[in-house]
Amino acid sequence: MAQQEGERIFERAPYVSLVSGSASYRKLPEMLARLEAGETRITGLDDRQAGETFETEFTARKNPYRGYITIIEGCDKFCAYCVVPFTRGKERSRGSSSVLEEARRITGQGYTEIQLLART
């Protein structure tokens, strides 16, 4: 919801100092450091519109045989019932070399199945 409400959150809740959505989770350490350095209001909402590729960490699950690899985030289809394009932003894909590298790494860890994920 942070991505949908954006800076209006500051107006409704003036005690809030950081508004960050799911598309900016990789920048969270940097944003927290900026708060510690004295900035009072920071938003991490700008990269949800980027059409760039992204990188992500391995998604660990409890299944000892199946590894999960996130290959896409966001969505470009503005369905009437869905908030994903407004909250997660435009569709962004990982580079194929990155996906293949991660697949090789997790098969080396003993996973025998790989499930590709879309984070929408």
Side-chain angles (χ1 to χ4, degrees):
M1 290 304 294
Q3 288 150 309
Q4 187 170 352
E5 293 297 316
E7 297 208 15
R8 290 186 301 243
I9 292 173
F10 292 133
E11 297 165 14
R12 291 191 348 226
Y15 47 84
V16 171
S17 55
L18 172 67
V19 176
S20 178
S22 59
S24 298
Y25 69 91
R26 293 176 217 57
K27 294 183 179 179
L28 193 55
E30 172 193 324
M31 292 185 287
L32 291 173
R34 289 171 48 199
L35 282 174
E36 289 179 348
E39 285 188 54
T40 57
R41 288 191 170 174
I42 298 172
T43 58
L45 305 171
D46 54 343
D47 66 346
R48 68 187 166 138
Q49 297 302 321
E52 304 169 2
T53 60
F54 69 95
E55 296 306 319
T56 188
E57 298 296 320
F58 172 66
T59 304
R61 302 288 170 104
K62 293 182 180 183
N63 187 322
Y65 308 103
R66 184 179 303 136
Y68 299 85
I69 300 176
T70 301
I71 62 169
I72 192 168
E73 289 184 340
C75 185
D76 290 339
K77 302 179 178 38
F78 288 82
C79 301
Y81 57 85
C82 185
V83 299
V84 169
F86 302 103
T87 58
R88 298 237 183 203
K90 293 176 67 172
E91 191 173 281
R92 296 172 307 284
S93 299
R94 287 179 65 185
S96 59
S97 61
S98 169
V99 173
L100 288 171
E101 179 181 316
E102 185 171 353
R104 288 183 187 104
R105 184 168 44 88
I106 67 175
T107 55
Q109 294 173 351
Y111 291 94
T112 56
E113 298 176 21
I114 296 175
Q115 186 170 347
L116 303 178
L117 304 175
R119 190 178 348 203
T120 58

